[in-house]
Amino acid sequence: MIDPRARALQLVTGKGGVGKSTLVAALALAWAERGRRPLVVELGRRASIESVIAGAPHVGWDPIEVAPGVHATNIEGGRAVLEVLARWVRVRRLAQRALRSEVMQAFVDAAPGVIEMATMERILELLGEGWDPVLVDADASGHALMFLGLPQVFDELGAAGPVAALLARTRGLFADVRRSALHLVTLPGALPVQETIELEARLREHGHVALGAVFVSRAPDAPRVSGERVEVLRAHAGGALASELAWLARDVALAEEARARIEALRARLGREVVELPEIDEARPSVEALRALGRVALRGVA
């Protein structure tokens, strides 16, 4: 089976602030280094690649190069709906007129899933253009669940015509373990790890998406000395050395707790758990991101 990290379509989700956008950029740079043709996909207002890759140009609808060998696109909801309407009615100016109408705009704003369906259509189109992999910087986990579950919801509602055809293609793609993967990103803290376990269980229960790897951002290295040993040393030290050892004991204890949570996560999920080191730079360089991507792809042929 193809490693989830090497599949043509990869969606990345997790709670806000866990490093999704940084990971997406790092993966894209690492794949470009390997000679692939990666495309980063931003969704609407979640424009992030410009803030992650220093010197990246503004990202719009048409794919644009943001780093050597890496392109990015932003699937803005209104434009995505226009493109779908234009394809279905086959006359673009009629689609533009319809989208500008108050009735249609109200429908797009109020109807659940319209923008998401159009976004799916755009992702399918991009895959057909030969980008590989397509890396989707998805919304936070709650919205991602809704997005991924739309094909099943609309199918249950009895969608027909072009909508049904689109949903069938999307559902088949998302569930295809040869082509797609949904990666989860988390931090080694107690709450993020528990939330990731619960999210993975919900996704597995729904069964409508091929699950990929779990990436743990800011994973600490294994301490070279145990917290218990540091405490013994501290008990026999005095003055400034005892104070320094107290700080060391705290840091070692925190690292040990984080390591234990990561191992519990690995045992509980039974899937690939990839540990990512913390990047020291506030805004990492392209080379630092590429190095992070190499770590993320370690073991992938």
Side-chain angles (χ1 to χ4, degrees):
M1 184 182 296
I2 300 174
D3 190 295
R5 293 168 288 169
R7 294 173 192 166
L9 174 63
Q10 301 180 46
L11 301 103
V12 180
T13 189
K15 291 288 185 180
V18 297
K20 297 190 302 295
S21 299
T22 299
L23 173 61
V24 168
L27 287 170
L29 285 162
W31 278 123
E33 184 179 44
R34 292 187 178 200
R36 297 270 284 268
R37 192 169 176 252
L39 177 70
V40 173
V41 174
E42 301 176 337
L43 301 181
R45 290 188 293 272
R46 289 206 68 255
S48 54
I49 200 71
E50 297 171 44
S51 63
V52 175
I53 297 181
H58 174 69
V59 176
W61 180 265
D62 295 317
I64 186 172
E65 190 170 41
V66 293
V70 175
H71 288 70
T73 180
N74 186 299
I75 304 181
E76 190 276 320
R79 174 70 182 270
V81 173
L82 170 63
E83 295 295 331
V84 169
L85 284 174
R87 188 173 297 117
W88 289 353
V89 303
R90 301 186 185 279
V91 180
R92 188 176 186 83
R93 56 188 174 80
L94 291 180
Q96 291 175 322
R97 187 184 307 164
L99 194 59
R100 284 197 299 266
S101 73
E102 293 182 5
V103 173
M104 178 60 76
Q105 193 60 55
F107 171 74
V108 169
D109 293 339
V114 172
I115 289 177
E116 286 78 6
M117 279 199 305
T119 299
M120 291 175 184
E121 177 81 350
R122 176 59 173 163
I123 291 173
L124 289 169
E125 181 181 35
L126 291 166
L127 281 167
E129 292 176 1
W131 300 103
D132 181 25
V134 171
L135 299 155
V136 182
D137 187 359
D139 290 321
S141 50
H143 187 270
L145 273 172
M146 187 273 286
F147 176 77
L148 294 167
L150 274 177
Q152 181 177 345
V153 171
F154 276 86
D155 187 49
E156 291 172 353
L157 291 174
V163 173
L166 166 60
L167 294 173
R169 294 198 306 274
T170 303
R171 184 167 54 182
L173 174 63
F174 283 173
D176 190 344
V177 296
R178 298 164 300 176
R179 300 181 64 199
S180 303
L182 172 66
H183 304 311
L184 307 181
V185 187
T186 188
L187 294 171
L191 183 58
V193 165
Q194 183 58 38
E195 290 175 338
T196 300
I197 290 173
E198 293 172 359
L199 174 61
E200 195 269 355
R202 291 176 65 187
L203 288 165
R204 191 160 23 87
E205 180 183 357
H206 289 175
H208 48 59
V209 61
L211 292 173
V214 176
F215 292 90
V216 181
S217 299
R218 305 174 207 163
D221 293 329
R224 296 187 178 184
V225 59
S226 70
E228 182 179 346
R229 178 60 177 163
V230 174
E231 288 294 351
V232 171
L233 294 172
R234 182 186 175 198
H236 292 82
L241 180 58
S243 178
E244 289 297 324
L245 285 171
W247 283 102
L248 177 60
R250 185 207 62 175
D251 290 345
V252 169
L254 290 174
E256 287 178 335
E257 291 171 3
R259 297 295 319 161
R261 283 191 289 268
I262 292 172
E263 291 309 316
L265 182 69
R266 184 174 280 116
R268 180 72 176 271
L269 300 185
R271 66 180 65 257
E272 185 77 26
V273 175
V274 182
E275 300 176 30
L276 302 174
E278 185 166 7
I279 299 180
D280 294 331
E281 306 169 43
R283 190 177 188 186
S285 64
V286 167
E287 186 48 48
L289 287 169
R290 189 179 288 115
L292 183 67
R294 294 187 195 116
V295 174
L297 293 181
R298 188 174 293 158
V300 179

